[in-house]
Amino acid sequence: MKKNYIGIDLGGTNIKAGVVDAQGKIISKASVATGSGPEQVVERMIQAARQAVQDSELKMADIEAVGIASPGPLSSADGVVLRSANLPGWHDVPLRDLVSKALKRPAFLENDAKSAAYGEFTAGAGADEKIANFILVTLGTGVGGGIIYHGRLLRGVSDSAGEIGHMIVDPDGDVCGCGQRGCLELYASASRTGRYAQHLLAIAPSRASSLRALLAAGATIDSRAVVEHAKMGDELANEVWDRACRFLALACVNAARWLDPQMLALAGGMAAAGNFLLHRVKQHFAQLNWKMSETKMEIVLATLGNDAGIIGAAALARDSEHQR
Ligand code: ZN
């Protein structure tokens, strides 16, 4: 009998659940609005999971285990979400056991970015038996990440290994939501890239830029607009995009120094820019990187898109025995 798993990706807006086979292929998917408060959110997670199983034409009894990808901070060993910026009112929620009890299946809890990293490692950009050391960097509202070291997800002693967004890139920089100064996500996240463009426009009112028309129309400038206008040749938009790519490249060089992995993949909203992101990051990487020996780390785009969390959570449930 073929084995199947459920992966649940708990987001601030939507809960996505999927039935995933042992090869990491999604058989069916369901999505519901997240709701608020632990009780309602758990109820909706169960609803999404049941819907996905129904659509797969399997039964809950055919599901081996359930993997949950959740925003953190959390304890994967205890299965507890400690608190969450995206989910107000969450404090020490035993999410793993609540889901396990309701679905009557074994369940596992992991951070969402780490789950996505494991998904890309097992079924996406890093799915190559020659690759055992892999890093995923997700560029969304914030910057997240996950590290696979010799085939195992690296959690650290407090589940905070791979928090690449809070790597300090300027100790004199602005204060981050985490309390540190100058974290990477203040320079290279999708939201901050848009904000930096607005900042440049505000401090130099006479500087020409096609982005000004957006502001005049009352729109906020996001990273997608920056990319669009940079591609059209707008100088200010290019300066903003280049700065974000340079800080990302800096993080990539440091990642190579710490871990020397075979691959680092870029994912999330900003990675939708495709080669416009990748080429620029690689250019800066080549400039910043040391010259004394070859760096074999390949920088690529992630391939699973929004499914990485579901696939990764399911794969972690599948591999739970040797991933602990
Ligand atoms: Zn930070």
Side-chain angles (χ1 to χ4, degrees):
M1 178 75 199
K2 262 182 76 181
K3 292 187 172 176
N4 295 287
Y5 303 83
I6 294 174
I8 304 176
D9 190 354
L10 170 56
T13 316
N14 290 300
I15 295 163
K16 290 172 287 173
V19 173
V20 184
D21 71 14
Q23 281 71 48
K25 218 180 104 212
I26 293 181
I27 299 169
S28 63
K29 263 198 295 191
S31 174
V32 298
T34 302
S36 64
E39 208 170 301
Q40 187 181 44
V41 172
V42 171
E43 215 168 273
R44 294 200 176 172
M45 289 170 74
I46 304 307
Q47 184 194 336
R50 290 205 170 117
Q51 185 66 50
V53 172
Q54 197 181 331
D55 294 349
S56 72
E57 296 182 354
L58 293 165
K59 294 189 178 62
M60 199 53 83
D62 300 323
I63 303 297
E64 292 288 315
V66 182
I68 306 159
S70 165
L74 53 77
S75 162
S76 61
D78 298 336
V80 172
V81 177
L82 304 175
R83 42 183 194 283
S84 176
N86 297 333
L87 302 164
W90 281 51
H91 186 73
D92 294 344
V93 177
L95 192 59
R96 177 192 66 197
D97 292 350
L98 289 171
V99 169
S100 175
K101 212 171 134 192
L103 295 176
K104 298 186 175 66
R105 308 312 306 144
F108 301 88
L109 176 70
E110 191 48 78
N111 167 276
D112 46 9
K114 284 189 178 66
S115 298
Y118 198 68
E120 288 288 346
F121 171 66
T122 52
D128 176 335
E129 59 186 24
K130 293 196 278 298
I131 294 174
N133 297 287
F134 175 86
I135 298 175
L136 181 75
V137 181
T138 59
L139 307 161
T141 313
V143 174
I147 299 166
I148 315 300
Y149 185 68
H150 289 301
R152 288 173 64 102
L153 180 65
L154 204 62
R155 295 185 171 92
V157 291
S158 53
D159 285 86
S160 71
E163 288 282 5
I164 290 156
H166 301 284
M167 170 190 291
I168 294 176
V169 293
D170 178 4
D172 301 317
D174 288 346
V175 177
C176 177
C178 75
Q180 294 178 173
R181 266 184 196 280
C183 290
L184 176 67
E185 74 173 30
L186 301 182
Y187 300 86
S189 62
S191 55
R192 286 293 179 144
T193 300
R195 267 172 70 173
Y196 186 64
Q198 300 201 171
H199 168 74
L200 285 190
L201 293 167
I203 58 163
S206 59
R207 191 171 170 191
S209 169
S210 55
L211 286 168
R212 285 201 191 277
L214 286 182
L215 278 188
T220 39
I221 296 170
D222 56 14
S223 70
R224 209 176 339 163
V226 170
V227 168
E228 203 180 297
H229 288 252
K231 279 180 174 173
M232 290 189 300
D234 185 67
E235 196 195 318
L236 186 142
N238 261 296
E239 183 186 324
V240 171
W241 188 244
D242 201 61
R243 177 179 181 261
C245 291
R246 187 159 181 260
F247 273 107
L248 259 178
L250 168 67
C252 291
V253 170
N254 291 338
R257 290 300 85 79
W258 275 104
L259 290 157
D260 191 22
Q262 284 139 320
M263 182 179 277
L264 182 149
L266 303 171
M270 265 166 71
N275 285 333
F276 197 62
L277 172 76
L278 191 63
H279 290 166
R280 205 69 78 92
V281 170
K282 282 182 165 179
Q283 271 171 11
H284 283 297
F285 183 87
Q287 222 165 44
L288 294 168
N289 193 31
W290 73 16
K291 312 289 183 278
M292 66 176 189
S293 72
E294 187 197 353
T295 300
K296 289 181 179 154
M297 181 178 85
E298 200 187 342
I299 304 173
V300 301
L301 296 167
T303 62
L304 298 179
N306 291 331
D307 291 337
I310 293 177
I311 293 171
L316 280 164
R318 177 195 68 198
D319 300 343
S320 56
E321 271 169 44
H322 59 94
Q323 285 296 328
R324 285 275 148 211

